């Protein structure tokens, strides 16, 4: 089975930085787009950033200039560098990947279990 394991969350003061990592493992033929989403209590799940296999990126407007998504294809890992963090960035951050596995026709969606990011004084 495919697993996505996230790390790097925690408590940080406003203006601080965190770097999230998400390692994908299992029986994998290909990994397509990888992305980070976040979900704050009482709010909808929002896309934070997305990165394609070739490295093209898309950011939500509120994250542009502060967050940077990157990936290491050799390690099947996606990262999210978060700078200038604000209290409104507080949420559970989820890793997502499109994965093609042996025996499957196309790509399937896989999610990590989430890592808590809390921005507070």
């Amino acid at each position: 089975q495919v697993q996505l394991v996230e790390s790097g969350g925690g408590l940080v003061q406003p203006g601080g930085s965190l770097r999230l990592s998400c390692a994908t493992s299992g029986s994998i033929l290909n990994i397509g787009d990888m992305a980070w989403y976040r979900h704050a209590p009482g709010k909808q799940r929002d896309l934070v950033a997305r990165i394609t296999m070739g490295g093209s990126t898309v950011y939500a407007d509120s994250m542009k200039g502060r967050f940077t998504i990157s990936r290491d294809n050799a390690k099947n890992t996606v990262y999210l560098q978060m700078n200038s963090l604000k209290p409104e960035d507080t949420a559970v951050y989820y890793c997502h990947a499109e994965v093609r596995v042996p025996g499957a026709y196309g790509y399937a969606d896989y999610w990590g279990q989430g890592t808590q990011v809390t921005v507070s004084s």
Side-chain angles (χ1 to χ4, degrees):
Q1 181 68 289
V2 174
Q3 287 185 289
L4 276 64
V5 180
E6 299 144 328
S7 62
L11 175 65
V12 65
Q13 294 185 347
S17 298
L18 284 174
R19 181 173 178 261
L20 306 183
S21 299
C22 174
T24 305
S25 63
S27 184
I28 297 168
L29 292 179
N30 292 98
I31 301 178
D33 291 2
M34 304 183 81
W36 289 95
Y37 291 78
R38 70 185 186 187
H39 192 186
K43 296 186 176 182
Q44 68 180 71
R45 183 192 65 189
D46 294 319
L47 174 70
V48 176
R50 181 180 301 278
I51 185 167
T52 69
M53 181 69 176
S56 297
T57 58
V58 175
Y59 297 92
D61 287 342
S62 62
M63 292 78 166
K64 291 194 79 174
R66 300 190 299 122
F67 292 6
T68 302
I69 189 171
S70 61
R71 64 191 289 168
D72 185 336
N73 291 331
K75 296 181 178 180
N76 292 333
T77 299
V78 63
Y79 306 93
L80 184 68
Q81 178 66 47
M82 304 185 293
N83 299 324
S84 302
L85 284 163
K86 306 173 182 179
E88 52 263 43
D89 295 320
T90 296
V92 178
Y93 284 70
Y94 295 92
C95 177
H96 171 266
E98 299 175 336
V99 181
R100 189 166 67 185
V101 300
Y105 172 76
Y107 288 88
D109 296 314
Y110 288 87
W111 293 88
Q113 65 183 36
T115 184
Q116 177 71 47
V117 172
T118 302
V119 185
S120 176
S121 299

